[in-house]
């Protein structure tokens, strides 16, 4: 139970960090691999899953899934050009 609470707290901190950058008018791109990252991904202008477990990518199909650093880099570049 404590582990779940810690993950929710960590996820909230990540989301708040992205929100703070957005409030400063930064274009935000976030990458994460698990449930504790999904709030951060949702808050960012663009969210990317990096090597997530199959269950996470299945539950969050709105985020592109990358399996290598080259794929992640390509998605970051693509997201940066989207705006």
């Amino acid at each position: 139970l404590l582990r779940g609470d810690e993950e929710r707290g960590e996820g909230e901190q990540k989301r708040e960090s992205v929100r703070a950058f957005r409030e400063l008018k930064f274009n935000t791109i976030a990458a994460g691999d698990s449930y504790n990252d999904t709030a951060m991904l949702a808050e960012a202008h663009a969210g990317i899953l990096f090597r997530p477990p199959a269950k996470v990518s299945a539950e969050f199909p709105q985020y592109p899934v990358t399996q290598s650093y080259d794929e992640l880099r390509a998605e970051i570049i693509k997201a940066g050009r989207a705006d």
Side-chain angles (χ1 to χ4, degrees), residues 23-79:
E23 289 174 359
L24 294 171
K25 307 302 182 208
F26 281 89
N27 183 27
T28 56
I29 302 169
D33 67 346
S34 195
Y35 290 107
N36 68 328
D37 296 317
T38 57
M40 169 186 68
L41 299 178
E43 187 69 34
H45 289 101
I48 305 164
L49 287 168
F50 180 65
R51 297 181 181 165
K55 187 173 182 179
V56 173
S57 56
E59 288 185 40
F60 297 93
Q62 66 270 40
Y63 304 119
V65 175
T66 60
Q67 297 296 335
S68 70
Y69 288 108
D70 287 339
E71 290 176 0
L72 178 60
R73 182 176 182 271
E75 284 295 329
I76 291 170
I77 291 169
K78 181 179 167 183

